[in-house]
Amino acid sequence: MGTKERKQRQFEEREHRFLAAARELIREDGLLKLQMSRIAERAEYAVGTLYLHFASKEDLLLALTIEQVREHVELFLRVARWEASSRERMFAFGVADMLFVRRNPEHFRIGQYVFTEVVWNAASAERRAELLEANDPIGALVVGLINEAVDAGDLMLRGLTAEQVSVGVWALTIGTHNLVHAEGVMDDFNVRDPYRLFCRHLQTLLNGYGWNPLVDIADDGALDTLILRVSRELFPDLCGDCTAQAAKAAA
Amino acid sequence: MGTKERKQRQFEEREHRFLAAARELIREDGLLKLQMSRIAERAEYAVGTLYLHFASKEDLLLALTIEQVREHVELFLRVARWEASSRERMFAFGVADMLFVRRNPEHFRIGQYVFTEVVWNAASAERRAELLEANDPIGALVVGLINEAVDAGDLMLRGLTAEQVSVGVWALTIGTHNLVHAEGVMDDFNVRDPYRLFCRHLQTLLNGYGWNPLVDIADDGALDTLILRVSRELFPDLCGDCTAQAAKAAA
DNA sequence: ACCGATCCGTGAACCTGATTCAAGATAGAA
DNA sequence: TTCTATCTTGAATCAGGTTCACGGATCGGT
């Protein structure tokens, strides 16, 4: 009897529907004004039903993040499968991150909120574990690539572990997102395209590690060309303005 | 008549007292359990009085952050006045940050929360402006140092502005704090001393910029010696375990 | 088709905690 | 001392997250 399975499926569909409703409301009114009763209303269910799915509002926010992280992982998987040098792939991880967050500015905001002590501790332990688990592949792919680069002779760890190297790249990435989303910082600093700047910093850091082949940091054209190549070959679907970028790079 | 001034001073003292009470409560029970009524109680004033100072709970959190930022700036000023090479001073900014956050783990947590869309927008515009302003010197000092390094011939900007370079360092720093405070990340990655690791990443990034004199990334002893020197010369008051570190470095 | 048992969905009521504001206290001026 | 302006108070209000007693749907057995 597949009746159990059907119920299960319907339950999951409903959960997805709640999350979609929540995402809509966040887009419309911002995270600040998100209300549980509104989410239920928008999804056309009662509040009580909403609470059959999520132990608390914070729990729902984690669930929202988990869905996004899974999409995020998809992008990283594309990079991992890409036929390119280890250095290019590491750079492509950065580009993936940049495109993802640019596409989903809400995601970063929610994620930032969710990893806050207050919210994190207010969510259920199960959901927290699920989120951490959903995140795992990202770290694993990066570490895997670093190890591959070492094996290929492109990179020397020089006393660090692959994990430790990945922490550096990761920190730069997260920090960039934080700054981009912080009120006015980037404007004050006259940074037009913060994510392009991030790409340069990433290349700088990778050069610092001595990750071969080294790139010429000052070569703007090469940077744009590479970003464009990654965007085109790996993320044509995410990058509506690829053509515009191509024009810019050509100029 | 100095009666106006006296009132003013008493008002400020009371504000400080509220903030101190809030900080105490956060230390005791965590940010999650912070309640306005408790703060008032602890400071021995009525709730209404508390609201004479802060437009909302979020506003109070910003005020808390502002106080800490001012202390933070003090540390950066010490670095700026330090007699050392530009590269050493830039590194010392990193050490200052690391020591500060290590000393005040709460500060980072609150700051992280406060810069969240939800909290940020729930605070008063005045307080937000005040916080941004309090932060300004940090950026200015770093940018100033970068310019000085360029003038001294220690660094070439290679098409970037000083502000843009500072964004890279800043991103790495903020990202590190985020990772350190995120549940389990550093443990999973077998990172014993994440801030020491940060120092290495910082040196790596600075090497990537070609900031002279370049350092040997793999030289752990030199790294420890430099951290120790900065700690001793600039922050003897913040670094109770300097002697322990000295022993380690000597071994 | 009917029946009881079980499970599911509901939303009004509840509860916590932030915020307000009318009333009372206080300090300065005359 | 008395009057007024200002400050302080904390009980009352309000918002919104969370619960749970109720009614209706589903299902297996007859």
Side-chain angles (χ1 to χ4, degrees):
Chain A
M1 192 62 52
T3 172
K4 221 24 176 284
E5 285 70 16
R6 178 172 51 77
K7 284 262 176 91
Q8 175 66 18
R9 203 171 336 111
Q10 286 179 341
F11 190 82
E12 277 166 20
E13 276 168 23
R14 196 171 60 184
E15 181 148 325
H16 187 72
R17 187 170 172 153
F18 279 130
L19 293 175
R23 212 165 270 131
E24 265 179 54
L25 289 170
I26 292 172
R27 212 172 314 121
E28 288 168 21
D29 300 331
L31 194 48
L32 183 56
K33 293 195 190 143
L34 189 68
Q35 283 177 228
M36 292 304 265
S37 55
R38 292 276 190 80
I39 298 172
E41 192 182 19
R42 177 69 62 108
E44 298 180 294
Y45 283 97
V47 201
T49 311
L50 182 54
Y51 276 88
L52 292 177
H53 291 262
F54 310 102
S56 65
K57 187 179 178 180
E58 287 77 14
D59 218 47
L60 181 143
L61 291 176
L62 286 236
L64 225 39
T65 308
I66 290 167
E67 275 202 347
Q68 294 264 297
V69 166
R70 298 212 162 113
E71 276 186 49
H72 202 161
V73 166
E74 285 308 309
L75 301 191
F76 271 59
L77 281 171
R78 290 193 208 173
V79 174
R81 287 193 288 258
W82 194 34
E83 297 259 344
S85 73
S86 67
R87 168 104 192 211
E88 283 167 333
R89 272 176 291 156
M90 178 53 86
F91 182 76
F93 278 136
V95 175
D97 219 78
M98 158 189 116
L99 288 176
F100 185 72
V101 176
R102 194 189 256 161
R103 272 271 151 184
N104 309 285
E106 298 308 341
H107 168 248
F108 174 77
R109 294 253 166 84
I110 303 171
Q112 188 188 30
Y113 190 50
V114 146
F115 279 108
T116 262
E117 179 193 11
V118 174
V119 179
W120 184 261
N121 290 324
S124 69
E126 297 74 44
R127 200 71 73 168
R128 290 201 295 254
E130 198 185 344
L131 176 48
L132 290 178
E133 199 180 333
N135 249 317
D136 276 348
I138 293 185
L141 289 173
V142 174
V143 169
L145 174 58
I146 292 170
N147 281 321
E148 200 186 310
V150 171
D151 292 344
D154 294 336
L155 175 68
M156 291 202 311
L157 292 178
R158 313 184 114 228
L160 293 183
T161 64
E163 282 85 1
Q164 289 175 327
V165 172
S166 79
V167 166
V169 178
W170 200 2
L172 185 66
T173 309
I174 292 186
T176 300
H177 293 315
N178 266 283
L179 288 176
V180 170
H181 286 259
E183 167 115 355
V185 171
M186 287 299 181
D187 314 331
D188 290 356
F189 276 38
N190 285 314
V191 176
R192 277 156 196 258
D193 184 346
Y195 285 123
R196 187 172 175 290
L197 180 59
F198 161 71
C199 287
R200 247 191 97 153
H201 287 312
L202 178 57
Q203 291 289 34
T204 305
L205 184 64
L206 297 180
N207 269 5
Y209 289 129
W211 194 320
N212 290 309
L214 300 184
V215 308
D216 176 3
I217 293 300
D219 188 341
D220 272 330
L223 183 68
D224 286 332
T225 306
L226 181 53
I227 294 175
L228 190 63
R229 186 173 139 225
V230 172
S231 305
R232 276 220 187 118
E233 292 188 20
L234 288 174
F235 311 113
D237 49 332
L238 295 188
C239 176
D241 57 344
C242 274
T243 39
Q245 286 190 16
K248 202 174 90 185
Chain B
M1 195 51 63
T3 173
K4 220 28 177 282
E5 285 70 17
R6 178 173 51 79
K7 284 262 176 90
Q8 174 67 19
R9 202 170 338 110
Q10 287 179 339
F11 190 82
E12 278 166 19
E13 277 168 22
R14 196 172 59 184
E15 181 148 326
H16 187 73
R17 188 171 170 150
F18 279 131
L19 292 175
R23 211 167 269 129
E24 264 179 54
L25 288 170
I26 291 172
R27 212 172 314 120
E28 288 169 22
D29 300 332
L31 193 48
L32 183 57
K33 292 195 191 143
L34 189 68
Q35 282 176 228
M36 292 304 264
S37 55
R38 292 275 190 82
I39 298 172
E41 192 182 18
R42 177 69 61 107
E44 298 179 293
Y45 283 98
V47 200
T49 310
L50 182 55
Y51 276 88
L52 292 176
H53 291 262
F54 309 102
S56 64
K57 187 178 178 180
E58 287 76 15
D59 217 46
L60 181 144
L61 291 176
L62 285 236
L64 225 39
T65 308
I66 290 167
E67 276 203 345
Q68 293 264 296
V69 166
R70 297 210 163 114
E71 276 186 49
H72 201 162
V73 168
E74 285 308 309
L75 301 191
F76 271 59
L77 281 171
R78 290 192 209 175
V79 173
R81 288 192 289 256
W82 194 35
E83 298 259 345
S85 72
S86 66
R87 167 103 193 211
E88 283 166 334
R89 273 177 291 157
M90 178 52 85
F91 182 76
F93 278 136
V95 175
D97 219 80
M98 157 189 116
L99 288 176
F100 185 72
V101 176
R102 196 189 256 163
R103 272 272 153 182
N104 309 286
E106 298 307 341
H107 169 249
F108 174 78
R109 294 255 165 83
I110 302 171
Q112 187 187 31
Y113 189 50
V114 147
F115 280 109
T116 262
E117 178 193 12
V118 173
V119 178
W120 184 260
N121 290 324
S124 70
E126 297 75 44
R127 199 72 72 168
R128 289 201 296 253
E130 198 185 345
L131 177 48
L132 291 178
E133 200 181 333
N135 249 318
D136 277 347
I138 293 186
L141 289 173
V142 174
V143 169
L145 174 58
I146 291 171
N147 282 322
E148 201 185 310
V150 171
D151 292 343
D154 294 336
L155 174 68
M156 292 203 311
L157 292 178
R158 314 187 114 226
L160 293 183
T161 65
E163 282 84 1
Q164 288 175 327
V165 172
S166 80
V167 166
V169 178
W170 200 1
L172 184 66
T173 309
I174 292 187
T176 299
H177 293 316
N178 266 283
L179 288 177
V180 170
H181 286 260
E183 167 114 355
V185 170
M186 288 299 181
D187 313 331
D188 290 358
F189 275 38
N190 285 313
V191 176
R192 277 158 197 257
D193 185 345
Y195 286 121
R196 188 173 174 289
L197 180 58
F198 160 72
C199 288
R200 247 192 95 154
H201 287 311
L202 178 57
Q203 291 288 35
T204 304
L205 183 64
L206 297 180
N207 269 5
Y209 290 128
W211 194 320
N212 290 309
L214 299 184
V215 307
D216 175 3
I217 293 299
D219 189 340
D220 272 328
L223 182 68
D224 287 330
T225 306
L226 182 54
I227 294 175
L228 190 62
R229 187 173 136 226
V230 173
S231 305
R232 275 221 188 117
E233 292 188 22
L234 289 173
F235 312 113
D237 49 332
L238 296 187
C239 175
D241 57 344
C242 275
T243 38
Q245 286 190 16
K248 202 174 91 187

